[in-house]
Amino acid sequence: MPKSSIYQQPLYCLPGLGTDHRIFEQLLPLLPFEDVRFLDYKEEYCRPGKGCDDYLAHLLPELQSELKAGEQPNFMGLSLGGLLATRLQHHFPDSQLILVSTIKTNEEAPFIFSLGKILPLYWLVPAIFSWEMVPRISYWAGVISDKDGYELYKKMLRTWTPKMLRWARDAAVHWSNSAPVGQVLHIHGKKDHVFPAKKAQADCWVDQATHYMIVSHAEEVAQHIKAHFG
């Protein structure tokens, strides 16, 4: 498949924890994709205690049913969506992944993932707490660096139910992927504190960018994608 053909094939976008398709609004107009589809999270597929593969087992039939003969799906995954995309690629090994602010193998996983498997203290924090405190903490810590981004994140997070948040926290911690099975373009921010840059093995880096760079540094992310795919 020629690199440029990714623009003519369906691109499925998977958002991160607490976000939805709106997180891609700054980036996608800068790119020449002709057929963009979104895989927002569905509460009925989010079963607390079950992981990413269980979620995909419910999602896959729906995805496969909408693909037309000859269509090759490709995926763009952000944060938690990137974790799902790495597992989704096992079902579509010819697909190409664009990973933004995420990781692709266990070697890149932060220490908190290992700790969470042994001592899941996050279960002590009520999921509903995330609605109010996560946006504030993200803003104070510089993960979200502007007021508009902060307001957008609050709106998106409100679409997540406590059940979905509980599932997502557990699914992220217990995610596992030993190696990509297909082609991957991994773009990462040098100031990402969720998936620390010192462990990430990215193909492209964005200076001064945090975990929220798909909004704050959309132009730089787009430049890397266009440079890679032509």
Side-chain angles (χ1 to χ4, degrees), residues 34-81:
E34 298 177 4
D35 184 1
V36 177
R37 308 173 188 182
F38 299 102
L39 294 175
D40 284 348
Y41 293 91
K42 296 191 175 183
E43 184 179 30
E44 60 267 33
Y45 300 165
C46 298
R47 302 198 298 163
K50 301 293 183 178
C52 293
D53 288 344
D54 181 78
Y55 183 91
L56 293 178
H58 293 86
L59 177 67
L60 269 169
E62 178 181 318
L63 192 159
Q64 290 168 328
S65 68
E66 72 177 39
L67 287 171
K68 298 176 183 177
E71 283 189 331
Q72 169 60 57
N74 299 295
F75 305 97
M76 180 186 294
L78 169 70
S79 193
L80 174 63

Side-chain angles (χ1 to χ4, degrees), residues 1 72-75 85-97 180-184:
M1 178 189 298
Q72 169 60 57
N74 299 295
F75 305 97
T86 63
R87 301 302 303 162
L88 197 51
Q89 192 180 45
H90 287 262
H91 300 275
F92 300 97
D94 292 329
S95 67
Q96 300 194 60
L97 300 188
V181 297
Q183 298 185 56
V184 177

Side-chain angles (χ1 to χ4, degrees), residues 31 60 81-82 161 170 188 197 210 221:
L31 298 168
L60 269 169
T161 66
D170 203 47
H188 213 79
T210 68
V221 175

Side-chain angles (χ1 to χ4, degrees), residues 33-222:
F33 290 103
E34 298 177 4
D35 184 1
V36 177
R37 308 173 188 182
F38 299 102
L39 294 175
D40 284 348
Y41 293 91
K42 296 191 175 183
E43 184 179 30
E44 60 267 33
Y45 300 165
C46 298
R47 302 198 298 163
K50 301 293 183 178
C52 293
D53 288 344
D54 181 78
Y55 183 91
L56 293 178
H58 293 86
L59 177 67
L60 269 169
E62 178 181 318
L63 192 159
Q64 290 168 328
S65 68
E66 72 177 39
L67 287 171
K68 298 176 183 177
E71 283 189 331
Q72 169 60 57
N74 299 295
F75 305 97
M76 180 186 294
L78 169 70
S79 193
L80 174 63
L83 304 185
L84 282 167
T86 63
R87 301 302 303 162
L88 197 51
Q89 192 180 45
H90 287 262
H91 300 275
F92 300 97
D94 292 329
S95 67
Q96 300 194 60
L97 300 188
I98 301 171
L99 300 180
V100 181
S101 302
T102 188
I103 56 177
K104 56 193 176 295
T105 69
N106 296 89
E107 291 182 0
E108 300 173 87
F111 172 72
I112 196 170
F113 277 31
S114 299
L115 180 63
K117 290 184 179 75
I118 301 169
L119 194 64
L121 296 177
Y122 56 89
W123 278 105
L124 301 177
V125 181
I128 199 169
F129 174 84
S130 301
W131 285 348
E132 295 299 330
M133 294 309 299
V134 169
R136 294 182 187 181
I137 293 171
S138 299
Y139 188 65
W140 294 335
V143 175
I144 301 174
S145 56
D146 63 279
K147 191 67 174 178
D148 289 341
Y150 171 73
E151 293 300 328
L152 173 61
Y153 188 39
K154 283 203 304 182
K155 291 177 182 177
M156 291 187 294
L157 190 58
R158 281 290 179 178
T159 67
W160 280 63
T161 66
K163 175 187 174 183
M164 295 168 71
L165 291 167
R166 285 194 299 271
W167 166 80
R169 293 183 306 189
D170 203 47
V173 167
H174 289 89
W175 166 86
S176 179
N177 197 59
S178 58
V181 297
Q183 298 185 56
V184 177
L185 171 63
H186 181 179
I187 307 170
H188 213 79
K190 288 190 175 179
K191 290 192 174 181
D192 192 315
H193 300 303
V194 177
F195 294 112
K198 64 182 180 181
K199 294 205 70 175
Q201 299 172 16
D203 301 299
C204 306
W205 294 93
V206 180
D207 291 332
Q208 306 302 315
T210 68
H211 194 64
Y212 208 61
M213 70 176 182
I214 198 168
V215 173
S216 64
H217 292 71
E219 290 188 4
E220 290 97 323
V221 175

